[in-house]
Amino acid sequence: MPTRTARSRALVGLVAVALALVLTACLSGGQQRMVDLVNRDRAAQGRATLPNHATLSTKAQAWADEMAREGRVSHSTLTDGTPSCRRALGENVAAASSVDGLHRAWMASAGHRANILDLRWDHIGVGVTRSGDRYYGVQVFMEGCT
């Protein structure tokens, strides 16, 4: 019969797995597609894939919503809404007719592509908002303190 400690550890493990699934499931379909496209291209270039960072995605989604409301693309105040323990941040913003179109535009631009493929980054947060026939997208990259 398992000991109380073993049962407790098993329960903690199950809760951790469930929490990870819930947090991953918090991304919309468009957000998940954006993360998948970034990680596909990073992996194709031999870079590490980037896990979604909930705080960065909250910031990115709020900014995508703001750009859609305003009907224009602009950079955010990058440090607002980001963890205080960070070494570097980067941001891509755009509007296109689809999430895939956002990614194609970023990969076709040297500066945006450099952000996507930068070796420093260890987390990503993304936001996608549809307004009419336009998708507004935001990617926030972070090199954390660890």
Side-chain angles (χ1 to χ4, degrees), residues 38-140:
V38 165
N39 282 330
R40 178 199 69 192
D41 286 348
R42 285 181 62 87
Q45 295 296 316
R47 271 58 167 191
T49 59
L50 301 175
N52 177 63
H53 189 288
T55 301
L56 296 179
S57 282
T58 297
K59 177 215 178 20
Q61 187 59 55
W63 193 247
D65 292 345
E66 179 70 17
M67 290 192 312
R69 271 192 300 279
E70 293 179 2
R72 67 182 180 89
V73 174
S74 61
H75 283 280
S76 71
T77 303
L78 191 50
T79 56
D80 287 355
T82 61
S84 59
C85 185
R86 62 182 182 276
R87 291 190 176 132
L89 293 169
E91 181 182 60
N92 288 341
V93 296
S97 61
S98 67
V99 174
D100 285 38
L102 290 166
H103 187 72
R104 282 191 303 274
W106 284 322
M107 291 303 285
S109 160
H112 295 100
R113 179 184 175 91
N115 259 350
I116 289 169
L117 299 177
D118 195 311
L119 292 170
R120 292 177 298 169
W121 308 139
D122 49 27
H123 290 91
I124 187 172
V126 298
V128 178
T129 301
R130 184 176 181 184
S131 180
D133 62 352
R134 305 294 292 164
Y135 286 81
Y136 292 84
V138 178
Q139 298 173 327
V140 179

